[in-house]
């Protein structure tokens, strides 16, 4: 796992209180990991903070899974 | 329309002297002080460096981490005590009509810790707002009853009352009246507060409201004592299940007592100082007696607001003597704040619980830390000094007064046979 992927995973485990092995690349924040709309906003903000990037709202809408988050961050770095 | 009768059928408490009802009562009758040096933040530079904190409490023992982190401490406390009270009431939450169950909560300040953290983070940044999406729903004072309703699906009346230190007494009175009027069969009421934070302690210090007895925290809360020098900040919560009498009887609930009435008034005098002659305090006790249909002679015990401030304690006792006349000498007067400290918006709830339990067990908890009588206080009054006293309490009064001049008073009475 890339450094980015493991840091993303750590944030998700911390914020959503889920088990590490549930956080697969395909896992959807809302459908699989129990996030509601506020949780999702918080995750995006944590990614911004952790990786020192900006994720505009219109692009944040396209980040629905763990894998999509990792890809977005890798591209933004 | 005939008002419905309202009874207490469940209790829950998380306090500086005990983390559930049993421990709380044990602390009360044994005169335990909850005061100790502050651990929640670095108070080294503060005029007051001690408080009555909740101890040995790990929220994860009660609430899943994922949910707990979306709650300020005052809401976590609310969830814990509401759970205890609901279990204690043996209410069948699966089969009760959820539209007929409300939650009316009291909180004086709300999530001040959350507010502080988020604003400090913003102030230390470059001006870019990076507020957490849970900032507002953690901070707002009404969120505690929201969380309780979401957990249990209770869809009856739901809100928070805010009247500073009278908040949860106001909540209890609102709950009483909504059930009396038929708006709900059951209301989870009470209050919680979590204000042992830098901003809260600093703010109250600036008002010269807090005791500064840093060399001996355990004796700092000394209501009615000549050397009292302010209140001691406390935190925690208390919950009471108020239930329509017939509803409680129909399900065979244990009934602690009846909520006989509530009184409300304002001092209309000063932002923080009480009226020197206890004008608003006098009115509120009179209003409460009238509302309950009781006479002063019916009352056996009063759990006072008694915060241990120089002005407040004397004014309140003057009011008691005005309302009760000669009968004042027959009363057991006490201030449980001598042990718990002042839980602000949760004070009315935990003190009402102390009154209910005094009736239940026939014991009035003491006013501890009393050494020297203030010459402004009538020595013939029974202030229940330093040791609990046995007493068959049939009617108990609980006073709470808040900054802004809000006064609230509640009367409980044993269910007539």
């Amino acid at each position: 796992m890339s450094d980015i992927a493991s840091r993303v995973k750590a944030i998700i485990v911390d914020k959503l209180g889920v088990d590490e092995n549930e956080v697969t690349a395909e896992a959807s924040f809302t459908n699989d990991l129990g996030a509601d709309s506020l949780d999702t906003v918080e995750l995006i903000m944590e990614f911004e903070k952790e990786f020192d990037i900006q994720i505009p709202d219109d692009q944040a809408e396209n980040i629905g899974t763990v894998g999509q988050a990792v890809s977005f961050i890798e591209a933004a770095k | 329309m005939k008002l419905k009768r309202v009874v207490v059928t469940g209790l829950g408490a998380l306090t500086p002297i005990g983390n559930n009802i049993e421990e709380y009562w044990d602390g009360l009758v044994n005169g335990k002080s909850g005061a100790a040096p502050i651990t929640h933040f670095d108070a080294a530079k503060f005029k007051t460096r001690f408080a009555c904190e909740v101890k040995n409490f790990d929220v994860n023992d009660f609430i899943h981490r994922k949910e707990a982190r979306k709650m300020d401490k005052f809401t976590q406390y609310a969830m814990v005590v509401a759970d205890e009270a609901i279990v204690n009431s043996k209410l069948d939450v699966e089969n009760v009509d959820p539209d007929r169950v409300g939650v009316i909560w009291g909180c004086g300040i709300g999530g001040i810790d959350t507010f502080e953290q988020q604003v400090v983070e913003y102030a230390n940044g470059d001006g870019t707002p990076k507020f957490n999406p849970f900032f507002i729903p953690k901070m707002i004072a009404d969120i505690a009853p929201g969380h309780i309703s979401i957990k249990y699906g209770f869809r009856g009346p739901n809100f928070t009352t805010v009247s500073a230190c009278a908040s949860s007494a106001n909540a209890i009175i609102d709950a009483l009246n909504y059930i009396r009027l038929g708006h709900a069969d059951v209301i989870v009421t009470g209050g919680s507060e979590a204000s042992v934070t830098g901003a809260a302690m600093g703010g109250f210090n600036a008002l010269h409201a807090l005791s500064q007895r840093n060399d001996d925290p355990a004796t700092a809360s000394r209501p009615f004592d000549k050397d009292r020098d302010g209140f001691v900040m406390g935190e925690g919560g208390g919950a009471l299940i108020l239930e329509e009498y017939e509803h409680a009887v129909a399900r065979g609930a244990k009934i602690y007592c009846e909520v006989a009435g509530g009184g409300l008034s304002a001092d209309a005098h000063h932002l923080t100082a009480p009226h020197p002659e206890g004008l608003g305090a006098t009115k509120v006790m009179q209003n409460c007696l009238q509302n309950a249909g009781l006479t002063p002679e019916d009352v056996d015990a009063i759990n006072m607001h008694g915060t241990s401030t120089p002005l407040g304690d004397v004014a309140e006792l003057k009011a008691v003597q005005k309302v009760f006349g000669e009968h004042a000498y027959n009363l057991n007067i006490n201030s449980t704040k001598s042990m718990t400290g002042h839980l602000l918006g949760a004070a009315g709830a935990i003190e009402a619980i102390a009154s209910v339990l005094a009736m239940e067990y026939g014991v009035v908890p003491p006013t501890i830390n009393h050494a020297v009588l203030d010459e402004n206080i009538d020595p013939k009054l029974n202030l229940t000094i330093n040791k609990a006293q046995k007493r068959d309490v049939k009617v108990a009064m609980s006073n709470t007064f808040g900054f802004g001049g809000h006064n609230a008073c509640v009367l409980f009475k044993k269910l007539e046979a």
Side-chain angles (χ1 to χ4, degrees), chain B residues 118-169:
Chain B
Q118 287 283 296
V119 170
V120 164
E121 203 173 310
Y122 173 59
N124 288 338
D126 64 0
T128 311
K130 288 280 183 190
F131 291 94
N132 187 286
F134 295 105
F135 167 37
I136 299 297
K138 275 174 80 170
M139 177 196 74
I140 51 181
D142 60 285
I143 208 73
H147 273 286
I148 295 168
S149 73
I150 291 165
K151 174 168 179 180
Y152 288 99
F154 297 152
R155 290 192 292 263
N158 191 292
F159 56 89
T160 285
T161 54
V162 179
S163 51
C165 308
S167 298
S168 52

Side-chain angles (χ1 to χ4, degrees), chain A residues 14-16 34 39 42 45, chain B residues 65-66 69-70 131-132:
Chain A
D14 177 46
K15 298 298 172 194
L16 300 185
D39 291 317
E42 189 184 33
M45 291 185 64
Chain B
R65 191 171 61 86
K66 182 190 172 207
R69 52 175 290 277
K70 296 176 189 173
F131 291 94
N132 187 286

Side-chain angles (χ1 to χ4, degrees), chain A residues 61-77:
Chain A
E61 283 167 18
N62 301 321
I63 303 176
T65 66
V66 178
Q68 285 166 352
V70 173
S71 306
F72 183 93
I73 294 161
E74 279 170 348
K77 286 297 279 184

